[in-house]
Structure formats: C-alpha cells, structure tokens
C-alpha cells in the first residue's frame, strides 16, 4: 500500500504527542507563587517598543507613573518586592502616588504587600531628590564625629532618613554599609564606610540600623562578608579578598556579628566578592572559564557561616544580580538558582524589565525556578522557610491598608516631614562637626588682608557651591570688604588658564576627590556624558600637583580633601593647610535674578561648614576615621 498524506498527519501527531510526554511536567502554581515572592525587581525604565532608542534599541524612559503592563505583571506574578532609583523619583506627590500604586497592584492581585526598597545611605549614595529631602554627609563623616560625639550622629541620621522614607511609602533601605575600609584604593566603598576601626564601624552601624528600624524601615546591613578591602568595583568586575580567617573574623565579619549579637537586623545584603579563605570552591562561568565562587553564590558563606555560625535569623538579600561581578559569569536564571541554593532569601534585580516583551521572560524564569523545586534541585522545605522569613519581615514592618492615609493627608504629612527644619539642622550639625583639620600653618582663618581667593574645584557645580557658601558667610558674619572669589574647574579648565588665575590670588584653595568615583556615584561632573570618557584620575592628580608647585612663597594655599583623605600625603609638602570633609554633596534649586531669569543655585551643608571654618567662625573638631601619613 502506498504512503498517503493521512499517514503523514498521523506520524506528526504521534511525534508531537511523544515530545509532550518528555517535556517538563505541569508547574505547580503554589510553588511558582513561593518562588515569585523571593524576587525583587528593578523597573527603573519601561518603554513601548516604539519608544526604544533608535540607535541602541535600549529603553531610557524612567518609570515615574506605573504603566498598566507593570501593574498586571505584579498582580499576575506576585513578585515580593520592587527597587526604585533616582530616575523614578521626581517630587513628593509623584513618589507617594507611585509607591501607593505599586502596593495596590500587589494587594489587588491577592498578594502580600510589596517590599519597596531604595539606596538612601546618605552622602554619595542618595536617591530621593536632595532639594526636597535631608541627605547628610555620609558614613565617613559620621565616623569623623565618633571621637567627640560617639554614636550620636549615626542615631540621628538613621532616625531622619527612616522617617523621610517611611512617609513616602518605602519600607526597605539598603543601608547602612558596615564595610571596614582598610584599602585606600577602594573604589566602591571608601566614604560609604564609617572608617577603618572594626569596633567603631560596628557601633555606628548598629546605632544607625536600630534608628531606622525603630522608625518602620527595614535596614539592610551590607555588603556581607565585607567589601572594605577591595580595589575592584563589583559593578564592573569580580573582587577578590585574600584575608586569612583570623583577619576576616576580626575585621570583615566583626560589624555584622556585633549587629546580630546586639540588635535584630531585618536584612543582610551579600557581596559579589570572592573570599577563598571562606570558600575556595570553583564554578564554570558562561564563557567556560573556572573561577572561585563569589559570596553571593556560596552556601558555605551564606548558610554555614552567616546562618549557622553567626546566628543570623533575618532575611538575606543579594546585591544586584545584574552587576558585572555576577552577570559576566552567570545567565540570569542560573544566577538566581545558584544564589537560592546558597541560602539567599531574596534575589535583587534578577533580570531587567524594560518592555512588555520582558514580562513573559520573567514568568519563564519563575516557572523554571519552580520546576527546579519540583525536581529537587531546590529544596521545597528551604524555599518555604525562606518565604516565611520574608512574610514575617513584612508583617513586622509594613502597616496594614487600614492604617493608610488618604492621598491628600499623606501628601500634607510628607511635606511636613521631608527636609523639616529640625532635620536640616541635624544635617548641618553633622557637616560642621565632621570637618577634620589635618594641617594648618596659618592657612586659615583667612586674614583680613586677603582680598583675592582662587578656588580650584573638581567641577563647576562644586565651584558655585563653595563660592556661595563663602559669600553668604562673609555677608552674615564678616564686616570686611567684599572678597574677589574666582573659580576654576579642574576637569574642564586648561592648566595654563588656572595657573594664570592663581598667580593673581593671595589664597588658593584646592579640592580633591580621591579615589576615582565609582559607578554607583557617577553623575554631576560637567563635560562628561559617558563614564568611560571621564578624565583619567592620574592625569588630574598630576595636574593638581603642577598647580600646587607653582604657588609662590608669598601666597597661601590649602587643600580640602572631599572624599577619603589618603592622598593628602603626596600634596602636603606644597600646602599651608589641609582639611578633610568626606563629602561634596551639592543641592540644586532654581532662583530668579533681579530680571526674573531662572538660574541654578548650588549649595550644601558641607560647603557652609567649610566656609565658616575658613573664615574663623567655627573650629574644625572632627577626627580622622582612617589613617594617613604623618605631616
């Protein structure tokens, strides 16, 4: 009998049926729901396909109102949390509305409230617009006040930051950083650390953590087991820490253990760092290379050490899984699978959601993770225990819907708390007490005979802020005739131009930002549109040294170290004075001139503190929280 089309149809049906028999079994929706609660998503940008950048095909439209696609995604999947960034936050009313809509999307879908998180450390890492909030000078500035004020400013800053976040609808803050900064070249921590003394870091970290949690914000101590001795930024590479076990326990782990023993940390965030003394196991990366497991992927570090030996009972959350230290080595689903096996409770930023086409990919990730549970690759009992920890944390910190205010009342309450006068006074007090005088050979107070000052600042914004602070302080406190203050940007002004300007000055004030800014801090440097094109730090250091060497004997010169002060030793011999501020935050507001034209107005607490010290209105009373050379 000949071969007929009907036979072909039968064969095709049989093949498809056989394929179905060998495909994955149906996924249990209850397990999918469990897995989804362990994901915290980044929705920084979201576009319709037609809105993608024509050249790069990337989405760069910030989510400031919640699109329907994202509402449905949250309701359908039951993801456990969302992280927001500066791009998502515009003003008070908008932030309240966005966070309210996020929570409604989850609860209307029948799920528990979301963990809505943010990086609001203070200092160099803040996400809430600084012109409507209280930003503070950051952890190393707090460390500089410890000798005289103890944990006073750690407690007050934690209190204020938490109150301002809670009133906006946030419930998780990825802070404080309790990394012990023992590496002068650390590009990603430095001033984000309280200092180099593990006990001081431990006490200040615990105080700030407790203040945040007492005001309804879950604190996330970071970056476990410690990011303080690296010279690689984990946003761009995989750092390695080669401490022995004794040093790891005495330095890196000490602040975490202190918080566990003396407080109740809600969260601890992992570090994408290799610690071979803690776990020397290797894995095969996506490119076929073998390398040591980073802490985020290590069961020996997260379960055996943190949970069992150190006694941590809270929620373990990863640092962002899209950072190069992870993304370069793992496919997204494989990264989440591995960190869940290690003992992580929440995977932060497991994949980017940028268009509606990414949502099915997220659902596939959830299904694949649930399948891993069903076949025993992930242990169901551990997943259930992990979700129970997350739910307990939510119940302890997220108020019920019944307690929520109407939009109008919530807005009025937020406006009364954000940047309240009492909060701004604490912010200024911290800046005032943090300044450290490292060297002063009659460089300040600025003499009455001084008429011409040259500022050499990293960029124009900081120039303007320092000029404003000096001018305001003179107008308020000093009856001397008006000073002539000229300002040059180290980044954009040619060396010869600055040399000509400073030769005409009686006092030259230099500022330095060392080491190079990390990717988490980038932004605000004039004439730089791409971080890869930022000026070479070695070239800027050489330029600064050239300028200092040219100062004549009859001129006075001083340096303000505005980040970590390690580099001042290479400049000290050429200067009459050195101050350390540990911060350079500027706040920008619009002001109208006498003709009604709008101009950007730059200011900041640290600049006011420096101006008052330079003019002799107050003393520099801070103490160095890290070691520099003796001069």
């Amino acid at each position: 009998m000949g071969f007929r089309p009907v036979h072909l149809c039968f064969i095709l049906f049989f093949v498809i049926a056989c394929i179905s028999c060998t495909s994955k079994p149906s996924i249990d929706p209850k397990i999918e729901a469990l897995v989804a609660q362990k994901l915290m998503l980044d929705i920084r940008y979201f576009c319709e396909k037609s809105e993608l950048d024509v050249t790069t095909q990337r989405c760069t439209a910030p989510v400031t109102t919640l699109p329907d696609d994202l509402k449905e995604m949250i309701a359908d999947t039951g993801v456990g949390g969302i992280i927001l960034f500066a791009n998502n936050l515009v003003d008070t009313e908008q932030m309240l509305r966005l966070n309210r809509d996020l929570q409604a999307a989850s609860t209307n879908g029948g799920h528990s409230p979301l963990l809505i998180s943010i990086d609001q450390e203070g200092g160099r890492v803040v996400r809430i617009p600084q012109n409507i909030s209280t930003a503070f000078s950051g952890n190393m500035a707090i460390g500089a006040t410890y000798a005289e004020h103890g944990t006073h400013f750690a407690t007050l800053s934690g209190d204020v930051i938490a109150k301002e976040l809670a009133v906006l609808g946030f419930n998780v803050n990825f802070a404080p950083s309790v990394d012990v900064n023992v590496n002068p070249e650390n590009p990603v921590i430095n001033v984000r650390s309280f200092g180099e003394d593990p006990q001081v870091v431990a006490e200040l970290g615990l105080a700030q953590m407790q203040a945040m949690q007492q005001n309804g914000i879950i604190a996330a101590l970071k970056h476990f087991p410690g990011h303080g001795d690296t010279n690689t930024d984990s946003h761009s590479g995989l750092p390695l820490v080669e401490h022995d076990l004794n040093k790891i326990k005495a330095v890196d782990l000490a602040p975490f253990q202190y918080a566990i023993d003396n407080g109740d940390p809600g969260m601890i965030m992992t570090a994408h760092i290799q610690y071979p003394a803690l776990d020397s196991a290797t894995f095969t990366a996506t490119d076929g290379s073998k390398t040591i497991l980073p802490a985020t992927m290590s069961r020996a570090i997260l379960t055996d050490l943190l949970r069992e030996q150190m006694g941590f009972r809270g929620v373990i959350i990863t640092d962002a899984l899209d950072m190069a230290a992870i993304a370069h080595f793992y496919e997204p689903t494989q990264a989440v699978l591995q960190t869940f096996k290690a003992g992580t409770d929440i995977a932060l930023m497991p994949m980017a959601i940028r268009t509606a086409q990414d949502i099915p990919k997220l659902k596939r990730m959830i299904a694949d993770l649930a399948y891993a549970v069903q076949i025993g690759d992930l242990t169901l009992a551990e997943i259930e225990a992990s979700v129970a920890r997350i739910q307990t944390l939510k119940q302890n910190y997220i108020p019920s819907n019944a307690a929520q205010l109407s939009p109008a009342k919530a807005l009025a309450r937020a406006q009364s708390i954000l940047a309240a006068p009492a909060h701004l006074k604490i912010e200024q007090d911290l800046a005032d007490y943090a300044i450290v005088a490292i060297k002063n050979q009659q460089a300040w107070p600025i003499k009455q005979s001084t008429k011409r000052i040259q500022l050499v600042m990293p960029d124009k914004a900081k120039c303007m802020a320092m000029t404003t602070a000096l001018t305001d302080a003179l107008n308020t406190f000093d009856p001397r005739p008006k000073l002539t203050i000229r300002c040059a940007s180290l980044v954009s002004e040619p060396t010869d131009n600055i040399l000509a300007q400073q030769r005409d000055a009686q006092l030259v004030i230099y500022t330095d930002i060392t080491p190079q800014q990390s990717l988490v801090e980038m932004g605000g440097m004039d004439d730089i549109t791409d971080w890869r094109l930022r000026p070479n730090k070695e070239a800027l250091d050489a330029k600064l040294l050239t300028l200092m060497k040219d100062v004549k004997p009859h001129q006075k010169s001083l340096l303000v170290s505005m980040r970590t002060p390690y580099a001042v030793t290479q400049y000290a011999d050429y200067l009459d004075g050195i101050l350390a501020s540990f911060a350079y935050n500027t706040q920008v507001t619009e002001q109208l001139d006498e003709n009604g034209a709008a101009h950007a107005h730059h200011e900041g607490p640290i600049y006011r503190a420096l101006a008052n010290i330079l003019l002799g209105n107050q003393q520099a009373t801070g103490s160095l929280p890290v070691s520099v050379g003796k001069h």
Side-chain angles (χ1 to χ4, degrees):
M1 185 172 63
F3 188 81
R4 297 180 182 179
V6 67
H7 296 150
L8 178 61
C9 292
F10 178 79
I11 292 169
L12 286 174
F13 176 80
F14 180 78
V15 169
I16 292 170
C18 287
I19 291 173
S20 299
C21 289
T22 58
S23 64
K24 293 179 182 178
S26 60
I27 306 299
D28 186 340
K30 292 181 181 179
I31 298 179
E32 284 188 303
L34 288 172
V35 169
Q37 292 180 68
K38 290 167 59 62
L39 303 180
M40 182 176 284
L41 302 182
D42 155 28
I43 56 167
R44 195 179 329 194
Y45 308 112
F46 193 79
C47 294
E48 297 295 333
K49 194 168 183 180
S50 61
E51 297 172 330
L52 296 176
D53 183 275
V54 175
T55 305
T56 65
Q57 286 298 295
R58 294 178 59 205
C59 175
T60 57
V63 172
T64 54
T65 59
L66 193 60
D68 288 340
D69 284 332
L70 293 184
K71 288 180 185 178
E72 292 171 9
M73 177 197 74
I74 293 168
D76 289 347
T77 61
V79 292
I82 298 290
I83 179 172
L84 297 178
F85 291 87
N87 318 68
N88 307 120
L89 311 173
V90 179
D91 57 46
T92 306
E93 186 173 10
Q94 176 269 331
M95 287 186 277
L96 284 166
R97 182 175 60 251
L98 178 58
N99 285 343
R100 187 169 58 244
D101 289 348
L102 284 167
Q103 291 293 14
S106 183
T107 54
N108 290 346
H111 310 295
S112 62
L114 291 168
L115 295 171
I116 303 181
S117 64
I118 190 170
D119 289 295
Q120 189 75 2
E121 299 176 14
R124 296 303 309 138
V125 180
V126 293
R127 307 304 187 208
I128 306 295
Q130 293 187 47
N131 62 329
I132 61 172
S133 65
T134 313
F136 293 104
S137 294
N139 284 358
M140 196 163 283
I142 294 171
T145 70
Y146 177 83
E148 185 172 342
H149 300 277
T151 60
H152 178 72
F153 284 106
T155 296
L156 290 182
S157 61
D159 181 84
V160 170
I161 290 170
K163 285 177 177 174
E164 296 194 359
L165 291 180
V167 80
L168 289 169
F170 292 96
N171 47 50
V172 178
N173 189 16
F174 293 134
S177 168
V178 292
D179 304 296
V180 182
N181 202 83
V182 293
N183 188 334
E185 299 302 318
N186 195 325
V188 69
I189 302 301
N190 58 82
V191 288
R192 297 167 66 196
S193 166
F194 292 110
E196 68 184 14
D197 185 318
Q199 184 60 31
V200 171
V201 172
E203 292 178 26
L204 294 173
L206 175 66
Q208 194 176 72
M209 178 202 87
Q210 288 178 321
M212 288 181 186
Q213 295 193 163
Q214 286 165 5
N215 285 280
I217 293 294
I218 301 163
L221 298 175
K222 60 188 186 184
H223 305 79
F224 185 84
H227 211 315
D229 190 12
T230 63
N231 54 19
T232 300
D233 185 346
S234 49
H235 292 80
S236 58
L238 182 55
L240 172 70
V241 174
E242 297 187 277
H243 293 176
D244 61 32
L245 285 173
N246 288 335
K247 187 170 184 179
I248 290 170
K249 184 175 180 180
V251 177
D252 304 303
L253 299 181
F256 295 98
Q257 189 69 70
Y258 189 83
I260 292 167
D261 291 344
N262 296 280
D264 185 20
M267 278 188 187
I268 288 179
M269 175 179 279
T270 70
H272 305 327
I273 298 178
Q274 297 168 324
Y275 265 83
L278 296 177
D279 189 352
S280 59
T282 61
F283 72 101
T284 303
T286 53
D287 63 1
S289 63
K290 284 191 175 293
T291 189
I292 295 170
L293 276 175
T296 297
M297 304 300 181
S298 168
R299 189 173 182 88
I301 293 175
L302 299 187
T303 297
D304 300 345
L305 174 62
L306 180 56
R307 284 245 182 258
E308 296 179 6
Q309 295 179 38
M310 297 178 68
F312 179 56
R313 297 292 175 260
V315 167
I316 300 174
I317 187 168
T318 71
D319 206 342
L321 291 176
D322 66 350
M323 290 161 60
I326 297 298
H328 177 72
F329 298 99
Y330 290 91
E331 293 295 337
T333 300
Q334 187 61 35
V336 178
L337 182 66
Q338 181 62 42
T339 195
F340 284 175
K341 286 182 179 180
T344 296
D345 295 304
I346 298 176
L348 175 63
M349 298 167 63
M351 63 174 293
I353 307 296
R354 297 292 178 257
T355 70
Q357 288 69 42
D358 292 324
I359 295 173
K361 297 176 186 177
L362 171 67
K363 293 180 178 180
R364 171 50 54 192
M365 173 184 279
I366 292 170
D368 288 344
L369 293 168
Y371 178 70
V373 176
Q374 289 182 205
I375 65 172
D377 201 16
L378 290 172
T379 305
L380 178 59
E382 289 190 355
I383 297 295
E384 290 174 332
S386 175
V387 172
R389 283 190 290 269
I390 296 168
Q391 289 302 323
T392 297
L393 197 63
K394 289 183 177 184
Q395 290 162 11
N396 289 342
Y397 283 94
I398 302 178
S400 64
N401 289 333
Q404 291 182 357
L405 300 174
S406 68
K409 288 183 178 179
L411 177 60
R413 184 166 179 263
Q415 289 172 334
S416 71
I417 290 176
L418 290 172
H423 294 181
L424 296 180
K425 183 181 185 304
I426 297 168
E427 180 185 45
Q428 188 62 57
D429 286 346
L430 171 58
D432 291 343
Y433 291 121
I435 306 293
V436 177
I438 298 176
K439 176 180 180 180
N440 187 13
Q441 295 178 342
Q442 299 182 330
W444 77 87
I446 297 171
K447 296 178 180 178
Q448 289 281 339
S449 58
T450 300
K451 309 296 182 188
R452 299 182 306 282
I453 296 177
Q454 176 67 41
L455 301 176
V456 181
M457 307 288 285
D459 57 63
K460 294 171 187 174
K462 296 168 185 60
C463 262
M464 295 168 67
M466 194 71 240
T467 301
T468 297
L470 284 167
T471 303
D472 289 350
L474 283 168
N475 292 340
T476 303
F477 297 106
D478 204 319
R480 79 179 76 188
K482 185 177 181 181
L483 280 168
T484 298
I485 303 172
R486 298 186 66 178
C487 207
S489 166
L490 189 68
V491 168
S492 57
E493 191 86 15
T495 302
D496 288 345
N497 290 11
I498 303 177
L499 285 170
Q501 293 172 27
Q502 73 177 31
R503 287 167 185 164
D504 184 51
Q506 294 166 284
L507 171 65
V508 185
I509 301 175
Y510 302 101
T511 57
D512 176 54
I513 297 175
T514 296
Q516 181 76 298
Q517 293 185 110
S518 69
L519 300 188
V520 76
E521 298 172 322
M522 282 303 295
M525 301 291 278
D526 55 279
D527 304 324
I528 304 173
T529 56
D530 188 325
W531 70 267
R532 289 177 292 268
L533 304 179
R534 62 186 174 178
N536 179 276
K537 187 65 173 70
E538 288 73 22
L540 288 181
D541 291 345
K543 182 176 180 179
L544 197 57
L545 198 57
T546 297
L547 296 171
M548 290 176 180
K549 289 179 178 179
D550 189 71
V551 173
K552 301 298 181 281
H554 63 273
Q555 294 174 293
K556 287 290 182 182
S557 65
L558 66 92
L559 172 72
V560 180
S561 169
M562 306 196 88
R563 211 158 177 244
T564 44
Y566 302 108
V568 301
T569 55
Q570 66 180 308
Y571 304 125
D573 292 340
Y574 307 100
L575 299 161
D576 299 297
I578 302 173
L579 290 163
S581 69
F582 313 102
Y584 50 93
N585 293 31
T586 59
Q587 299 163 359
V588 185
T589 55
E590 270 197 359
Q591 292 192 354
L592 301 179
D593 62 20
E594 56 189 14
N595 299 316
H599 295 277
H601 178 75
H602 298 264
E603 61 178 355
I606 208 70
Y607 299 94
R608 289 191 287 270
L610 287 166
N612 281 320
I613 287 168
L614 291 172
L615 293 169
N617 302 325
Q618 63 191 48
Q619 299 296 311
T621 60
S623 300
L624 283 174
V626 293
S627 300
V628 299
K630 303 289 185 181
H631 287 273

